[in-house]
Amino acid sequence: MKVLRRLPDLSQNPVRLEREESLSALIARLMDTAFVIPGTKIRFGLDAIIGLFPGIGDSIGALISSVLLAQAARAGVPKIILARMAGNIFLNTVVGAIPILGDVFSVLYRSNVKNYALLQAHAGRSRPSTARDWIFVIALFLALLAVLAAVVTGVVLIARDP
């Protein structure tokens, strides 16, 4: 059996870490807080906007949110924190599938901002990510895809039923 190499430790490369952290911050900001409702202090992002498209919008939002999860794995974030991040994405996706209420939830819950804060708090504090960590993240990602498929299937079945 071939031994898998360890993935690069981003904490040892400050330039690369800074570039990936900038991308993570951009994703969190665009998805959750890029815009403000005029006359209020309520911020929202693309997640709430694309979530207006039943089924497919929440699926796309979850896929974009998964980038933060992958970056957290590369940065050596502990598995339990990765699971918590996946849970945030999962909750946002499932509740987000509910028309209107789901979009309000996305505006208030801000799963990407929560995940970015977890990434910042735990990045580089543990060992470099290994092949086992990536297998764990891929399993979480596949589980998330299964949930997304179920959401899309449910929307399609509801839309076809007269």
Side-chain angles (χ1 to χ4, degrees):
M1 184 162 100
K2 188 176 182 180
V3 177
L4 296 173
R5 291 183 333 170
R6 288 185 174 231
L7 296 170
D9 180 7
L10 292 179
S11 64
Q12 301 302 317
N13 187 338
V15 173
R16 192 169 181 182
L17 180 61
E18 184 177 326
R19 184 175 62 230
E20 294 219 3
E21 186 174 322
S22 295
L23 176 61
S24 298
L26 178 65
I27 289 170
R29 187 174 59 250
L30 284 176
M31 292 300 286
D32 289 345
T33 61
F35 311 105
V36 66
I37 297 174
T40 70
K41 293 182 180 182
I42 301 172
R43 301 193 69 81
F44 66 99
L46 293 177
D47 192 28
I49 294 170
I50 62 176
L52 291 172
F53 298 97
I56 192 76
D58 295 305
S59 300
I60 291 169
L63 288 174
I64 294 169
S65 297
S66 296
V67 172
L68 289 173
L69 185 63
Q71 288 182 333
R74 288 192 62 198
V77 170
K79 289 180 188 176
I80 191 68
I81 303 300
L82 294 176
R84 188 169 163 195
M85 292 173 75
N88 286 337
I89 297 169
F90 174 79
L91 183 63
N92 191 49
T93 302
V94 171
V95 177
I98 302 169
I100 309 300
L101 177 65
D103 298 306
V104 171
F105 179 78
S106 288
V107 169
L108 299 175
Y109 188 66
R110 298 181 181 166
S111 65
N112 295 293
V113 169
K114 289 178 187 296
N115 285 347
Y116 178 66
L118 288 170
L119 173 61
Q120 281 189 310
H122 298 282
R125 287 196 176 172
S126 76
R127 65 191 171 32
S129 57
T130 64
R132 291 181 76 191
D133 293 329
W134 277 102
I135 290 169
F136 179 76
V137 170
I138 290 168
L140 285 175
F141 182 72
L142 291 175
L144 182 60
L145 284 178
V147 169
L148 296 176
V151 168
V152 170
T153 302
V155 169
V156 168
L157 290 175
I158 290 170
R160 289 194 333 186
D161 191 25

